[in-house]
Amino acid sequence: MQIISISSLKGGVGKTSVTLGLASAARVQGIPTLVVDMDPHADATTGLGVKQGQDIEGREDIGTLLERPRRVSMADHVIASGWPDLTPGATETGVPGGTKVLDVVRGSSRTSLFERPTTRLRELRRLSTLLESVTKYALVLVDCPPALNGVTRMAWAASTDVLLVAEPSLFSVAGTERTLRALDLFRKEYAQGVHSTGVVANRVRPASTEHQFRLGEMERMYGDRLLPVAIPEQGNWQQIQGAAWPVHAWPGETAAQSAELFEELLSALHRPQGRRSQRRH
Ligand SMILES: Nc1ncnc2c1ncn2[C@@H]1O[C@H](COP(=O)(O)OP(=O)(O)O)[C@@H](O)[C@H]1O
Ligand SMILES: [Mg+2]
């Protein structure tokens, strides 16, 4: 099972958007995927179309599950995404004739209780322990809060890959470089299961000379840790996310282009079961 954390110290750079784009790409490719919403803001849960009420009956949120990871089975608390599937012949459960391919463990403000700094292994392994009880997924996407404290570190400790999201702007480029260094230090001691770390540029305006300059800087600073796919600024994202739709189901040329980019990003990140990464950083 590949476990990818999507993180950054800065908020609003596109962690949740990248998580949802990757989830949408994995879904059309029929890769059984679980999204774990570790941000107390719970935007990924909302973006996946999970509503209070019927959808969540009896399903605990991730903050509650993290409180007693050895005594609960996370598999009992996953919720099917509420995304519509518009592919011809699709069943309610996802791919034609298939099982559910996209589930979520919902986020909640309770997760903020774990934002305390800690180096205790027992604390850091709470999410890893929970993930031991889920077996039906090939891919787990962990959407992190905009911080490098307890919650993000718990996510890193459980991950096989870490993806940082950065904007091509002055502070974001330098800040991400420092985050990569913090991640490398943490990995050595507490997250040896992380095979690869990468950076994806988001909200890129191809016509902006400032953005082109910053992208060049990112290439120089991050080397081949910079993923070969840059996500452009898209005018209709708020609309797509507000409707809680997958980008692959949204009509129009710009959504189709984004959908394709997320498939490329997923191919650059996803290793089919059992295969180790070509990229080891
Ligand atoms: N590539 C993009 N184009 C346009 N809007 C974007 C893009 N990426 C993110 N956004 C918007 O920016 C806001 C913050 O993005 P979000 O994914 O919530 O960031 P984070 O999870 O890092 O806080 C959201 O309103 C989102 O729709
Ligand atoms: Mg977010």
Side-chain angles (χ1 to χ4, degrees):
M1 192 163 73
Q2 189 175 8
I3 302 168
I4 306 178
S5 283
I6 296 97
S7 15
S8 79
L9 177 52
K10 209 164 172 280
V13 292
K15 289 176 293 300
T16 301
S17 303
V18 168
T19 303
L20 295 176
L22 289 172
S24 180
R27 183 169 178 257
V28 297
Q29 291 180 13
I31 300 168
T33 299
L34 176 67
V35 173
V36 179
D37 190 350
M38 291 284 271
D39 190 345
H41 227 260
D43 298 336
T45 306
T46 310
L48 284 161
V50 171
K51 296 181 200 74
Q52 298 295 328
Q54 228 181 354
D55 286 357
I56 60 166
E57 211 173 291
R59 309 296 209 285
E60 299 288 7
D61 61 83
I62 185 69
T64 304
L65 299 177
L66 286 168
E67 281 172 7
R68 43 197 159 91
R70 292 190 187 283
R71 277 182 280 137
V72 292
S73 167
M74 188 150 86
D76 296 338
H77 296 280
V78 302
I79 307 168
S81 96
W83 279 356
D85 195 340
L86 307 178
T87 21
T91 63
E92 275 179 14
T93 53
V95 286
T99 49
K100 286 194 175 70
V101 287
L102 181 58
D103 292 342
V104 56
V105 181
R106 69 189 172 96
S108 89
S109 54
R110 292 194 76 77
T111 316
S112 62
L113 299 174
F114 293 95
E115 273 304 18
R116 55 200 176 219
T118 177
T119 48
R120 287 180 57 200
L121 277 181
R122 197 173 149 268
E123 284 286 304
L124 289 169
R125 286 198 46 81
R126 283 177 188 268
L127 180 61
S128 322
T129 304
L130 281 176
L131 283 167
E132 280 164 12
S133 74
V134 297
T135 49
K136 71 174 197 182
Y137 308 99
L139 179 65
V140 178
L141 300 170
V142 186
D143 189 20
C144 295
L148 304 183
N149 294 328
V151 174
T152 295
R153 283 162 198 262
M154 220 187 259
W156 289 352
S159 293
T160 56
D161 306 83
V162 176
L163 178 62
L164 302 181
V165 183
E167 288 174 320
S169 68
L170 172 67
F171 293 142
S172 183
V173 173
T176 302
E177 214 272 322
R178 283 188 280 273
T179 306
L180 274 174
R181 271 189 268 151
L183 173 55
D184 284 345
L185 285 174
F186 183 79
R187 253 173 104 185
K188 265 189 219 141
E189 287 223 28
Y190 307 105
Q192 282 147 5
V194 173
H195 295 302
S196 80
T197 55
V199 181
V200 63
N202 181 38
R203 308 195 79 143
V204 178
R205 291 196 297 277
S208 155
T209 44
E210 161 71 11
H211 277 200
Q212 289 313 317
F213 173 79
R214 295 294 168 203
L215 273 180
E217 203 173 46
M218 288 166 98
E219 273 165 26
R220 281 194 303 281
M221 282 170 101
Y222 312 148
D224 54 5
R225 285 170 142 188
L226 182 67
L227 282 138
V229 185
I231 312 288
E233 174 85 27
Q234 296 269 339
N236 56 3
W237 271 33
Q238 298 253 348
Q239 241 178 311
I240 301 175
Q241 289 167 349
W245 271 41
V247 65
H248 285 76
W250 197 258
E253 188 54 31
T254 55
Q257 281 164 4
S258 291
E260 204 172 304
L261 283 174
F262 279 115
E263 289 193 51
E264 281 174 36
L265 183 61
L266 183 63
S267 311
L269 290 166
H270 183 55
R271 296 183 295 277
Q273 217 106 23
R275 290 248 304 274
R276 301 200 92 183
S277 174
Q278 300 286 332
R279 320 170 46 251
R280 269 182 69 83
H281 300 292

